[in-house]
Amino acid sequence: MEWDPHTGALEAAARVRQGEWSAVEVTQGALARAERFARLGAFAHLTPERALEQARGIDAAIAAGESVGALPGVPVPIKDLAEVAGLPFEGGSLVLRGNVGQTTDAVAQRLIDAGGITLGKTAAPEFGFPAYTETLAGSPAVTPWDPTRGAGGSSGGAAAAVAAGITPLAHAS
């Protein structure tokens, strides 16, 4: 059965765990949708290499009969206000452009430990201050139903990613 982007997180995790879908297939599908819906401004950064590496690790763990957590293979982008070691950490600000996370936020780490795939960093307003996701650092996050309207904030990037069916779940705050 082919991955359906509108499948909920728990069902997707169950299908990956049972071998109906591979984590790599799900990740590739989510990355393709992220590219297709780039105009929504959901992502500050996509991290396809890291996401596919994590997905291959999940598939290998399942094949070896190892424990894979509650969200194996589920794409879970992390809001750009949360630090993830080795990923861009810009907080929606031009001042932090090029900054890379040195440690991983506790909530982000729990999602990763649960088998979630770090698809990328979702857009956030500068330092999370405005209640809308429009920054000088990137495109505004807009709703897929009416791209003339903002997706809200400060987790507008996460909201746009879930609403567009890019991911069934996203880190927000």
Side-chain angles (χ1 to χ4, degrees):
M1 176 181 286
E2 186 174 312
W3 175 68
D4 176 358
H6 301 291
T7 302
L10 295 179
E11 183 180 345
R15 289 180 180 217
V16 169
R17 191 179 294 108
Q18 295 164 2
E20 285 183 56
W21 297 340
S22 76
V24 168
E25 174 186 43
V26 173
T27 301
Q28 288 172 331
L31 287 167
R33 285 185 71 79
E35 291 290 340
R36 178 176 162 209
F37 290 107
R39 67 181 167 25
L40 298 178
F43 288 88
H45 299 280
L46 282 175
T47 56
E49 296 84 14
R50 180 182 178 124
L52 289 167
E53 179 182 325
Q54 287 175 310
R56 286 188 291 272
I58 292 293
D59 286 340
I62 290 170
E66 298 172 10
S67 176
V68 289
L71 299 171
V74 176
V76 184
I78 306 296
K79 185 175 178 179
D80 196 30
L81 298 181
E83 191 170 6
V84 176
L87 294 186
F89 178 48
E90 298 174 344
S93 177
L94 289 175
V95 173
L96 294 178
R97 179 152 288 162
N99 188 50
V100 176
Q102 300 302 306
T103 61
T104 299
D105 173 85
V107 173
Q109 188 63 58
R110 290 182 96 162
L111 292 167
I112 294 165
D113 290 346
I117 304 298
T118 310
L119 202 61
K121 301 294 288 291
T122 56
E126 189 167 34
F127 305 119
F129 291 134
Y132 49 86
T133 305
E134 296 179 13
T135 73
L136 297 175
S139 301
V142 298
T143 169
W145 301 295
D146 182 353
T148 67
R149 297 181 182 268
S154 72
S155 298
V162 172
I166 297 168
T167 65
L169 181 69
H171 169 266
S173 60

Coordinates of all heavy atoms in Angstrom, one line a residue, residues 74-144:
V74 N 7.3 8.7 11.4 CA 6.3 9.8 11.2 C 7.1 11.1 11.1 O 7.9 11.4 11.9 CB 5.4 9.9 12.4 CG1 4.4 11.1 12.3 CG2 4.5 8.6 12.6
P75 N 6.9 11.8 10.0 CA 7.5 13.1 9.8 C 7.0 14.1 10.8 O 5.8 14.3 11.0 CB 7.1 13.5 8.4 CG 6.6 12.3 7.7 CD 6.1 11.4 8.8
V76 N 8.0 14.6 11.6 CA 7.6 15.6 12.7 C 8.6 16.8 12.6 O 9.7 16.7 13.2 CB 7.7 15.0 14.1 CG1 7.2 16.0 15.1 CG2 6.9 13.7 14.2
P77 N 8.3 17.8 11.8 CA 9.2 18.9 11.8 C 9.2 19.7 13.1 O 8.2 19.6 13.9 CB 8.6 19.8 10.7 CG 7.1 19.5 10.6 CD 7.1 18.0 11.0
I78 N 10.3 20.3 13.4 CA 10.5 21.0 14.6 C 10.4 22.5 14.4 O 11.1 23.0 13.5 CB 11.9 20.6 15.3 CG1 12.0 19.1 15.4 CG2 12.1 21.3 16.6 CD1 11.0 18.4 16.3
K79 N 9.7 23.2 15.2 CA 9.6 24.7 15.1 C 11.0 25.3 15.3 O 11.8 24.9 16.1 CB 8.7 25.2 16.2 CG 8.3 26.7 16.1 CD 7.3 27.0 17.2 CE 7.0 28.5 17.2 NZ 5.9 28.8 18.2
D80 N 11.2 26.4 14.5 CA 12.6 27.0 14.5 C 12.9 27.7 15.8 O 14.0 28.3 15.9 CB 12.7 27.9 13.3 CG 14.2 28.3 13.0 OD1 15.1 27.4 13.3 OD2 14.4 29.4 12.5
L81 N 12.0 27.8 16.7 CA 12.3 28.3 18.0 C 12.9 27.3 19.0 O 13.3 27.6 20.1 CB 11.1 29.0 18.7 CG 10.4 30.1 17.9 CD1 9.2 30.6 18.6 CD2 11.4 31.2 17.6
A82 N 12.9 26.0 18.6 CA 13.5 24.9 19.4 C 14.8 24.5 18.7 O 14.9 24.3 17.5 CB 12.5 23.8 19.4
E83 N 15.8 24.4 19.6 CA 17.1 24.0 19.1 C 17.2 22.5 18.9 O 16.8 21.7 19.7 CB 18.2 24.4 20.1 CG 19.6 24.3 19.7 CD 20.5 25.0 20.7 OE1 20.1 25.4 21.8 OE2 21.7 25.1 20.3
V84 N 17.8 22.1 17.8 CA 18.2 20.7 17.4 C 19.6 20.7 17.0 O 20.0 21.4 16.0 CB 17.3 20.1 16.3 CG1 17.7 18.7 16.0 CG2 15.8 20.2 16.7
A85 N 20.4 19.9 17.7 CA 21.9 19.9 17.4 C 22.1 19.6 15.9 O 21.5 18.6 15.4 CB 22.6 18.9 18.3
G86 N 22.9 20.4 15.3 CA 23.3 20.1 13.9 C 22.3 20.7 12.9 O 22.6 20.7 11.7
L87 N 21.2 21.3 13.3 CA 20.2 21.8 12.4 C 20.2 23.4 12.5 O 20.6 23.9 13.6 CB 18.8 21.3 12.6 CG 18.6 19.8 12.3 CD1 17.1 19.5 12.5 CD2 19.1 19.4 11.0
P88 N 19.8 24.1 11.5 CA 19.7 25.5 11.6 C 18.8 25.9 12.8 O 17.8 25.2 13.1 CB 19.0 25.9 10.3 CG 19.3 24.9 9.3 CD 19.4 23.6 10.1
F89 N 19.2 26.9 13.5 CA 18.5 27.4 14.7 C 18.5 29.0 14.6 O 19.4 29.6 15.1 CB 19.1 26.9 15.9 CG 18.5 27.4 17.2 CD1 17.1 27.4 17.4 CD2 19.3 27.9 18.2 CE1 16.6 27.8 18.6 CE2 18.7 28.3 19.4 CZ 17.4 28.3 19.6
E90 N 17.5 29.5 13.9 CA 17.6 30.9 13.6 C 16.5 31.7 14.2 O 16.4 32.9 14.2 CB 17.5 31.1 12.0 CG 18.7 30.5 11.4 CD 18.7 30.5 9.9 OE1 17.6 30.8 9.3 OE2 19.8 30.3 9.2
G91 N 15.5 31.1 14.9 CA 14.5 31.8 15.6 C 13.7 32.7 14.8 O 13.2 33.7 15.3
G92 N 13.6 32.5 13.5 CA 12.8 33.4 12.6 C 13.5 34.8 12.4 O 12.9 35.7 11.9
S93 N 14.8 34.9 12.7 CA 15.4 36.2 12.7 C 16.6 36.2 11.7 O 17.4 35.3 11.6 CB 16.0 36.5 14.1 OG 16.7 37.7 14.1
L94 N 16.7 37.4 11.1 CA 17.9 37.6 10.2 C 19.2 37.7 11.1 O 20.3 37.3 10.6 CB 17.8 38.9 9.4 CG 16.7 38.8 8.3 CD1 16.6 40.2 7.7 CD2 17.1 37.8 7.3
V95 N 19.1 38.1 12.3 CA 20.2 38.3 13.2 C 20.9 36.9 13.4 O 22.1 36.8 13.5 CB 19.8 38.9 14.5 CG1 20.9 38.9 15.5 CG2 19.3 40.3 14.3
L96 N 20.1 35.8 13.5 CA 20.6 34.5 13.7 C 20.8 33.7 12.4 O 21.1 32.5 12.5 CB 19.7 33.7 14.7 CG 19.6 34.3 16.1 CD1 18.6 33.5 16.9 CD2 21.0 34.3 16.7
R97 N 20.7 34.3 11.3 CA 20.9 33.5 10.0 C 22.2 32.8 10.0 O 23.2 33.4 10.3 CB 20.8 34.5 8.8 CG 21.0 33.7 7.5 CD 20.3 34.2 6.3 NE 18.9 34.0 6.4 CZ 18.0 34.6 5.7 NH1 18.4 35.6 4.8 NH2 16.7 34.4 5.8
G98 N 22.2 31.5 9.7 CA 23.4 30.7 9.7 C 23.7 30.1 11.0 O 24.6 29.3 11.0
N99 N 23.0 30.4 12.0 CA 23.2 29.8 13.3 C 22.8 28.3 13.3 O 21.8 28.0 12.7 CB 22.4 30.5 14.4 CG 22.8 30.1 15.8 OD1 23.9 30.0 16.2 ND2 21.7 29.8 16.6
V100 N 23.6 27.5 13.9 CA 23.4 26.0 13.9 C 23.2 25.6 15.4 O 24.0 26.0 16.2 CB 24.5 25.2 13.2 CG1 24.3 23.7 13.4 CG2 24.6 25.6 11.8
G101 N 22.2 24.8 15.7 CA 22.0 24.3 17.0 C 23.1 23.5 17.6 O 23.7 22.7 16.8
Q102 N 23.5 23.7 18.8 CA 24.5 22.9 19.5 C 24.0 21.8 20.4 O 24.7 20.8 20.6 CB 25.4 23.9 20.3 CG 26.0 25.0 19.5 CD 26.9 24.4 18.4 OE1 27.8 23.6 18.7 NE2 26.7 24.8 17.2
T103 N 22.8 22.0 20.9 CA 22.1 21.0 21.7 C 20.7 20.7 21.2 O 20.3 21.4 20.2 CB 22.0 21.4 23.2 OG1 21.2 22.6 23.2 CG2 23.4 21.7 23.8
T104 N 20.0 19.8 21.8 CA 18.7 19.5 21.3 C 17.7 19.8 22.5 O 17.9 19.3 23.6 CB 18.5 18.1 20.8 OG1 19.4 17.9 19.7 CG2 17.1 17.8 20.3
D105 N 16.7 20.6 22.2 CA 15.6 20.9 23.1 C 15.0 19.6 23.6 O 14.9 18.6 22.8 CB 14.6 21.8 22.3 CG 13.3 22.0 23.1 OD1 13.3 23.0 23.9 OD2 12.3 21.3 22.9
A106 N 14.6 19.6 24.9 CA 14.0 18.4 25.5 C 12.8 17.8 24.7 O 12.7 16.6 24.5 CB 13.7 18.6 26.9
V107 N 11.9 18.7 24.3 CA 10.7 18.2 23.6 C 11.0 17.7 22.3 O 10.6 16.6 21.9 CB 9.6 19.3 23.5 CG1 8.4 18.9 22.7 CG2 9.1 19.7 24.9
A108 N 11.9 18.4 21.5 CA 12.4 17.9 20.2 C 13.0 16.5 20.4 O 12.8 15.6 19.6 CB 13.3 18.9 19.6
Q109 N 13.8 16.4 21.4 CA 14.5 15.1 21.6 C 13.6 14.0 21.9 O 13.8 12.8 21.4 CB 15.5 15.2 22.8 CG 16.4 14.0 22.9 CD 17.3 13.8 21.7 OE1 18.1 14.7 21.3 NE2 17.2 12.6 21.1
R110 N 12.5 14.3 22.6 CA 11.5 13.2 22.9 C 10.8 12.8 21.6 O 10.5 11.6 21.4 CB 10.5 13.7 23.9 CG 11.1 13.8 25.3 CD 10.1 14.3 26.3 NE 9.6 13.1 26.9 CZ 8.9 13.1 28.1 NH1 8.7 14.2 28.7 NH2 8.5 12.0 28.6
L111 N 10.5 13.7 20.7 CA 9.9 13.4 19.4 C 10.9 12.5 18.6 O 10.5 11.6 17.9 CB 9.5 14.6 18.7 CG 8.3 15.4 19.3 CD1 8.2 16.8 18.7 CD2 7.0 14.6 19.2
I112 N 12.1 12.9 18.6 CA 13.2 12.1 17.9 C 13.3 10.7 18.5 O 13.3 9.7 17.7 CB 14.5 12.9 17.8 CG1 14.4 14.2 17.0 CG2 15.6 12.0 17.3 CD1 15.5 15.2 17.2
D113 N 13.4 10.7 19.8 CA 13.5 9.4 20.5 C 12.3 8.5 20.2 O 12.4 7.2 20.3 CB 13.7 9.6 22.0 CG 15.0 10.2 22.3 OD1 16.0 10.2 21.5 OD2 15.2 10.6 23.5
A114 N 11.1 9.1 20.0 CA 9.9 8.3 19.7 C 9.9 7.7 18.3 O 9.0 7.0 17.9 CB 8.7 9.1 19.9
G115 N 11.0 8.1 17.5 CA 11.1 7.6 16.1 C 10.6 8.6 15.1 O 10.5 8.3 13.9
G116 N 10.2 9.8 15.5 CA 9.8 10.9 14.6 C 10.9 11.3 13.7 O 12.1 11.3 14.1
I117 N 10.6 11.6 12.5 CA 11.6 12.0 11.5 C 11.6 13.5 11.4 O 10.6 14.2 11.2 CB 11.2 11.4 10.1 CG1 11.0 9.9 10.1 CG2 12.2 11.9 9.1 CD1 12.3 9.1 10.5
T118 N 12.8 14.1 11.7 CA 13.0 15.5 11.7 C 13.1 16.0 10.2 O 14.2 16.1 9.6 CB 14.3 15.9 12.4 OG1 14.3 15.2 13.7 CG2 14.4 17.4 12.6
L119 N 11.9 16.3 9.7 CA 11.8 16.7 8.3 C 12.5 18.0 8.0 O 12.9 18.3 6.9 CB 10.3 16.8 7.9 CG 9.9 16.7 6.5 CD1 10.3 15.4 5.9 CD2 8.4 16.9 6.4
G120 N 12.5 18.9 9.0 CA 13.1 20.2 8.9 C 12.6 21.1 10.1 O 12.1 20.6 11.1
K121 N 12.8 22.4 9.9 CA 12.4 23.4 10.9 C 11.3 24.2 10.3 O 11.4 24.8 9.2 CB 13.6 24.3 11.2 CG 14.8 23.6 11.8 CD 14.6 22.9 13.1 CE 14.5 23.8 14.3 NZ 15.7 24.5 14.7
T122 N 10.2 24.3 11.0 CA 9.1 25.1 10.6 C 9.2 26.6 10.9 O 9.9 26.9 11.8 CB 7.7 24.6 11.2 OG1 7.8 24.6 12.6 CG2 7.4 23.2 10.6
A123 N 8.6 27.4 10.0 CA 8.7 28.8 10.2 C 8.1 29.3 11.5 O 7.1 28.8 11.9 CB 8.0 29.5 9.0
A124 N 8.7 30.3 12.0 CA 8.2 31.0 13.2 C 8.5 32.5 13.1 O 9.4 32.9 12.4 CB 8.9 30.4 14.5
P125 N 7.7 33.3 13.8 CA 8.0 34.7 13.8 C 9.3 35.0 14.6 O 9.7 34.2 15.4 CB 6.8 35.3 14.5 CG 6.2 34.3 15.3 CD 6.5 33.0 14.6
E126 N 9.9 36.1 14.3 CA 11.1 36.5 15.0 C 11.0 36.3 16.5 O 10.2 37.0 17.1 CB 11.5 37.9 14.6 CG 13.0 38.2 15.1 CD 13.5 39.5 14.4 OE1 12.7 40.4 14.2 OE2 14.7 39.5 14.2
F127 N 11.8 35.4 17.0 CA 11.9 35.0 18.4 C 10.5 34.7 19.0 O 10.4 34.7 20.2 CB 12.6 36.2 19.2 CG 13.9 36.5 18.7 CD1 14.2 37.8 18.2 CD2 14.9 35.5 18.6 CE1 15.4 38.1 17.7 CE2 16.2 35.8 18.1 CZ 16.4 37.1 17.6
G128 N 9.5 34.4 18.2 CA 8.2 34.0 18.7 C 7.4 35.2 19.2 O 6.3 34.9 19.8
F129 N 7.8 36.4 19.0 CA 7.1 37.5 19.5 C 5.7 37.8 18.9 O 4.7 37.9 19.5 CB 7.9 38.8 19.6 CG 9.0 38.6 20.6 CD1 10.3 39.0 20.3 CD2 8.8 38.1 21.9 CE1 11.4 38.9 21.2 CE2 9.8 38.0 22.8 CZ 11.1 38.4 22.5
P130 N 5.6 38.1 17.6 CA 4.3 38.4 17.0 C 3.4 37.2 17.0 O 3.8 36.1 17.0 CB 4.6 38.9 15.6 CG 6.1 39.0 15.5 CD 6.7 38.2 16.6
A131 N 2.1 37.5 17.0 CA 1.1 36.4 16.9 C 0.8 36.0 15.5 O -0.4 35.6 15.2 CB -0.1 36.8 17.7
Y132 N 1.7 36.2 14.6 CA 1.5 35.8 13.2 C 2.9 35.4 12.7 O 3.9 35.8 13.3 CB 1.0 36.9 12.4 CG 1.7 38.2 12.6 CD1 2.9 38.5 11.9 CD2 1.3 39.2 13.5 CE1 3.5 39.7 12.1 CE2 1.9 40.3 13.7 CZ 3.1 40.6 13.0 OH 3.8 41.8 13.2
T133 N 3.0 34.5 11.7 CA 4.3 34.0 11.2 C 4.6 34.7 9.9 O 4.5 34.2 8.8 CB 4.2 32.5 11.1 OG1 3.8 31.9 12.3 CG2 5.5 31.9 10.7
E134 N 5.1 35.9 10.1 CA 5.7 36.7 9.0 C 7.0 37.3 9.5 O 7.0 38.0 10.5 CB 4.7 37.8 8.6 CG 3.4 37.4 8.1 CD 2.5 38.5 7.7 OE1 2.9 39.7 7.7 OE2 1.3 38.2 7.5
T135 N 8.1 37.0 8.8 CA 9.4 37.5 9.2 C 10.1 38.0 8.0 O 9.8 37.8 6.8 CB 10.2 36.4 9.8 OG1 10.7 35.5 8.8 CG2 9.4 35.6 10.9
L136 N 11.2 38.8 8.2 CA 12.1 39.2 7.2 C 13.0 38.0 6.7 O 13.6 38.1 5.7 CB 12.9 40.4 7.7 CG 12.2 41.6 8.0 CD1 13.1 42.7 8.6 CD2 11.5 42.2 6.8
A137 N 13.0 37.0 7.5 CA 13.9 35.8 7.2 C 13.3 34.9 6.2 O 14.0 34.0 5.7 CB 14.2 35.1 8.5
G138 N 12.0 35.0 5.9 CA 11.5 34.1 4.9 C 10.1 34.5 4.5 O 9.6 35.5 4.9
S139 N 9.4 33.6 3.7 CA 8.1 33.9 3.3 C 7.1 33.8 4.5 O 7.3 32.9 5.4 CB 7.6 32.9 2.2 OG 8.5 33.0 1.1
P140 N 6.0 34.5 4.5 CA 5.0 34.3 5.5 C 4.4 33.0 5.4 O 4.2 32.4 4.3 CB 4.0 35.4 5.3 CG 4.2 35.9 3.9 CD 5.6 35.5 3.5
A141 N 4.0 32.4 6.5 CA 3.3 31.1 6.6 C 1.8 31.4 6.3 O 1.2 32.2 7.0 CB 3.5 30.4 7.9
V142 N 1.3 30.8 5.3 CA -0.1 31.0 4.9 C -0.9 29.7 5.0 O -0.4 28.6 4.9 CB -0.3 31.7 3.6 CG1 0.4 33.1 3.6 CG2 0.3 30.8 2.5
T143 N -2.2 29.8 5.1 CA -3.1 28.7 5.1 C -3.3 28.1 3.7 O -3.4 28.9 2.7 CB -4.5 29.0 5.7 OG1 -5.4 27.9 5.5 CG2 -5.1 30.2 5.1
P144 N -3.3 26.8 3.5 CA -3.5 26.2 2.2 C -4.9 26.4 1.6 O -5.1 26.3 0.4 CB -3.2 24.7 2.4 CG -3.4 24.5 3.9 CD -3.1 25.8 4.5

